[in-house]
Amino acid sequence: MAFRRKTKDRDFTGGALPYFYQRRGSTGKPEFDARVTDLVKDWGCTENNELVEELIITALKIATDRMTTGDLKLLNRAVRELREANRTFQPYNNRRKIVVYGSARTHPDKAEAQAAELFGRKIREAGFMVITGAGDGIMGAAQKGAGREESFGLNIKLPFEQSANDTIDGDRKLVSFNYFFTRKLTFVKEAEGFALFPGGYGTMDELFEVLTLIQTGKAGVLPIVMVDVPGGTYWAQFVDFVRDELLRPGLISEDDLSLFKITDSVDEAVAEIARFYRVFHSYRYAEGNLVLRLNEPLSTEKLEKINTEYRELLASGDFTATCPLAAEASEPELADLPRIVFKPQRRNSGLLRRLIDEINAD
């Protein structure tokens, strides 16, 4: 079964971007604002002119901020890297992609690397493309399993250790980054699921970033699976730490544990990700509502159950089946999908994750 995104305007932040739909920037000089508007129009822009204008205005303001050369180089390089990444992913916007994280140091003969290669192959067979950090070890194994044509590599330039693996080296879908933050942003922006295998500091960094972004609502809720080999202790000890040192003293909530799943089965990991999109398609915030787009309508009984068991997610009202809202006009390709709409309490992503599981349940 092929899983398609079916939208060119996906908001990976889970609703944190409405500010950008109208230009708020100004040079402070109306005549310069008019010149910027004319420049963008004359350049031939046909979409999102206001956003392009705001980028130019920001650059002009930077020019008068007395920034150091080093800061200017950082900003310039970051924007260039993000542009290159967007150009690379743009032709594949309608494909769902799964990010695979894990150690670059894992030897190909290790069971963890073999599991990653099997995962790459099976998640590709399930209809997903794969994104890795382009290195060796777990990344190279997953890349090999997915194959060159069905995967992306996001390489980071380091003074040691990191170079593109044989599968993705030289491919048009390989992007090299100077900065970790632009690379990490691209991972999260393009992902529609995460699979994590054992790794070092980098893997832990990427895991906690993803969990933090989803927990705080700065990224949309996505499936996160942590994969170990049978008998492995890596993720089991991670969960022990989370329960003992984070949950027990109240630093996180019980619902936060619903944001991820741990398994020692590659088949179960693939099934967890595929199941996330069985009925659920996507969501966005619109007109003060959270709109859940579905691949098929829910039964009356299922909707009643949701209204009974998930009321903690509601700021007011009920979960209601509806047609597309006016604010969704920018995504006409999704107009045929059934929807559930509700006024959300935007503070419990773990419970929202459980709601999605309920929607997908038989």
Side-chain angles (χ1 to χ4, degrees), residues 104-105 133 135 139 155-163 176-180 183:
R105 303 185 184 190
M139 294 176 282
N155 195 32
I156 184 72
K157 297 176 182 178
L158 296 176
F160 65 93
E161 195 170 82
Q162 183 80 345
S163 59
S176 292
F177 294 84
N178 189 59
Y179 300 124
F180 270 111
R183 180 181 184 241

Short mmCIF file of all heavy atoms in Angstrom, two decimals, residues 104-105 133 135 139 155-163 176-180 183:
data_model
loop_
_atom_site.label_atom_id
_atom_site.label_comp_id
_atom_site.label_asym_id
_atom_site.label_seq_id
_atom_site.Cartn_x
_atom_site.Cartn_y
_atom_site.Cartn_z
N ALA A 104 26.62 6.03 13.70
CA ALA A 104 27.46 5.86 12.52
C ALA A 104 28.55 4.83 12.77
O ALA A 104 29.22 4.39 11.83
CB ALA A 104 28.10 7.20 12.14
N ARG A 105 28.75 4.42 14.03
CA ARG A 105 29.87 3.54 14.39
C ARG A 105 29.49 2.06 14.43
O ARG A 105 30.35 1.21 14.65
CB ARG A 105 30.43 3.95 15.75
CG ARG A 105 30.88 5.41 15.82
CD ARG A 105 31.53 5.72 17.15
NE ARG A 105 31.86 7.15 17.25
CZ ARG A 105 32.60 7.67 18.22
NH1 ARG A 105 33.07 6.90 19.17
NH2 ARG A 105 32.85 8.97 18.23
N GLY A 133 20.98 10.29 8.05
CA GLY A 133 22.06 11.28 8.12
C GLY A 133 23.17 11.04 7.12
O GLY A 133 24.18 11.74 7.16
N GLY A 135 25.42 8.86 6.84
CA GLY A 135 26.66 8.25 7.29
C GLY A 135 26.63 6.73 7.19
O GLY A 135 25.72 6.13 6.60
N MET A 139 22.85 4.30 9.83
CA MET A 139 22.36 5.12 8.72
C MET A 139 22.63 4.43 7.38
O MET A 139 21.75 4.34 6.52
CB MET A 139 23.02 6.50 8.76
CG MET A 139 22.63 7.33 9.97
SD MET A 139 23.51 8.91 10.03
CE MET A 139 25.12 8.37 10.66
N ASN A 155 23.75 14.90 5.00
CA ASN A 155 25.10 14.76 5.52
C ASN A 155 25.51 15.99 6.32
O ASN A 155 25.05 17.10 6.03
CB ASN A 155 26.08 14.55 4.36
CG ASN A 155 27.43 14.04 4.82
OD1 ASN A 155 27.52 13.31 5.80
ND2 ASN A 155 28.48 14.41 4.12
N ILE A 156 26.36 15.80 7.32
CA ILE A 156 26.89 16.91 8.09
C ILE A 156 28.41 16.92 7.91
O ILE A 156 29.06 15.88 8.00
CB ILE A 156 26.51 16.81 9.59
CG1 ILE A 156 27.00 18.03 10.37
CG2 ILE A 156 27.02 15.53 10.22
CD1 ILE A 156 26.23 19.29 10.09
N LYS A 157 28.96 18.09 7.65
CA LYS A 157 30.40 18.20 7.45
C LYS A 157 31.10 18.25 8.80
O LYS A 157 30.91 19.19 9.58
CB LYS A 157 30.70 19.46 6.64
CG LYS A 157 30.09 19.43 5.24
CD LYS A 157 30.33 20.73 4.49
CE LYS A 157 29.67 20.69 3.11
NZ LYS A 157 29.86 21.98 2.39
N LEU A 158 31.89 17.21 9.08
CA LEU A 158 32.60 17.10 10.35
C LEU A 158 34.10 16.93 10.08
O LEU A 158 34.48 16.45 9.01
CB LEU A 158 32.10 15.89 11.15
CG LEU A 158 30.65 15.91 11.63
CD1 LEU A 158 30.31 14.59 12.30
CD2 LEU A 158 30.40 17.07 12.58
N PRO A 159 34.93 17.27 11.05
CA PRO A 159 36.36 17.07 10.86
C PRO A 159 36.78 15.60 10.97
O PRO A 159 37.92 15.26 10.72
CB PRO A 159 36.98 17.90 12.00
CG PRO A 159 35.91 17.96 13.04
CD PRO A 159 34.62 18.01 12.28
N PHE A 160 35.84 14.74 11.37
CA PHE A 160 36.15 13.32 11.48
C PHE A 160 34.88 12.52 11.31
O PHE A 160 33.77 13.04 11.40
CB PHE A 160 36.76 13.01 12.86
CG PHE A 160 35.80 13.25 14.01
CD1 PHE A 160 35.02 12.23 14.51
CD2 PHE A 160 35.66 14.52 14.56
CE1 PHE A 160 34.12 12.46 15.55
CE2 PHE A 160 34.78 14.76 15.60
CZ PHE A 160 34.01 13.72 16.10
N GLU A 161 34.99 11.28 11.00
CA GLU A 161 33.95 10.26 11.10
C GLU A 161 32.88 10.32 10.01
O GLU A 161 32.55 9.30 9.42
CB GLU A 161 33.27 10.31 12.47
CG GLU A 161 32.43 9.08 12.79
CD GLU A 161 31.98 9.06 14.23
OE1 GLU A 161 30.97 9.73 14.54
OE2 GLU A 161 32.64 8.41 15.05
N GLN A 162 32.31 11.48 9.71
CA GLN A 162 31.13 11.50 8.87
C GLN A 162 31.47 11.71 7.40
O GLN A 162 32.11 12.67 7.03
CB GLN A 162 30.16 12.61 9.32
CG GLN A 162 28.85 12.65 8.53
CD GLN A 162 27.85 11.61 9.00
OE1 GLN A 162 28.19 10.68 9.72
NE2 GLN A 162 26.62 11.74 8.61
N SER A 163 31.02 10.80 6.56
CA SER A 163 31.07 10.97 5.11
C SER A 163 29.88 10.20 4.56
O SER A 163 29.31 9.34 5.22
CB SER A 163 32.38 10.44 4.53
OG SER A 163 32.54 9.06 4.84
N SER A 176 24.36 18.26 1.80
CA SER A 176 25.40 18.44 2.80
C SER A 176 25.18 19.74 3.57
O SER A 176 24.90 20.78 2.97
CB SER A 176 26.78 18.46 2.14
OG SER A 176 27.09 17.19 1.61
N PHE A 177 25.32 19.67 4.90
CA PHE A 177 25.07 20.80 5.77
C PHE A 177 26.34 21.17 6.53
O PHE A 177 27.12 20.30 6.94
CB PHE A 177 23.97 20.47 6.79
CG PHE A 177 22.62 20.25 6.19
CD1 PHE A 177 22.27 19.01 5.69
CD2 PHE A 177 21.68 21.28 6.14
CE1 PHE A 177 21.01 18.79 5.14
CE2 PHE A 177 20.42 21.07 5.60
CZ PHE A 177 20.09 19.83 5.09
N ASN A 178 26.51 22.45 6.74
CA ASN A 178 27.58 22.95 7.60
C ASN A 178 27.12 23.04 9.05
O ASN A 178 27.91 22.85 9.97
CB ASN A 178 28.05 24.32 7.12
CG ASN A 178 29.31 24.79 7.83
OD1 ASN A 178 30.34 24.13 7.78
ND2 ASN A 178 29.21 25.94 8.49
N TYR A 179 25.81 23.30 9.24
CA TYR A 179 25.27 23.52 10.58
C TYR A 179 24.35 22.38 11.00
O TYR A 179 23.50 21.92 10.21
CB TYR A 179 24.48 24.83 10.64
CG TYR A 179 25.28 26.05 10.31
CD1 TYR A 179 24.89 26.91 9.29
CD2 TYR A 179 26.45 26.34 11.01
CE1 TYR A 179 25.63 28.05 8.98
CE2 TYR A 179 27.20 27.47 10.70
CZ TYR A 179 26.79 28.31 9.69
OH TYR A 179 27.53 29.42 9.39
N PHE A 180 24.50 21.95 12.25
CA PHE A 180 23.59 20.93 12.76
C PHE A 180 22.15 21.45 12.81
O PHE A 180 21.20 20.71 12.58
CB PHE A 180 24.02 20.49 14.17
CG PHE A 180 24.98 19.34 14.18
CD1 PHE A 180 26.30 19.52 14.57
CD2 PHE A 180 24.57 18.07 13.82
CE1 PHE A 180 27.20 18.45 14.60
CE2 PHE A 180 25.45 16.99 13.84
CZ PHE A 180 26.77 17.19 14.23
N ARG A 183 20.35 21.19 9.52
CA ARG A 183 20.16 19.76 9.21
C ARG A 183 19.03 19.18 10.06
O ARG A 183 18.15 18.47 9.56
CB ARG A 183 21.46 19.02 9.48
CG ARG A 183 21.44 17.52 9.22
CD ARG A 183 22.81 16.98 9.55
NE ARG A 183 23.00 15.57 9.28
CZ ARG A 183 23.29 14.66 10.19
NH1 ARG A 183 23.41 15.02 11.48
NH2 ARG A 183 23.50 13.40 9.86
#
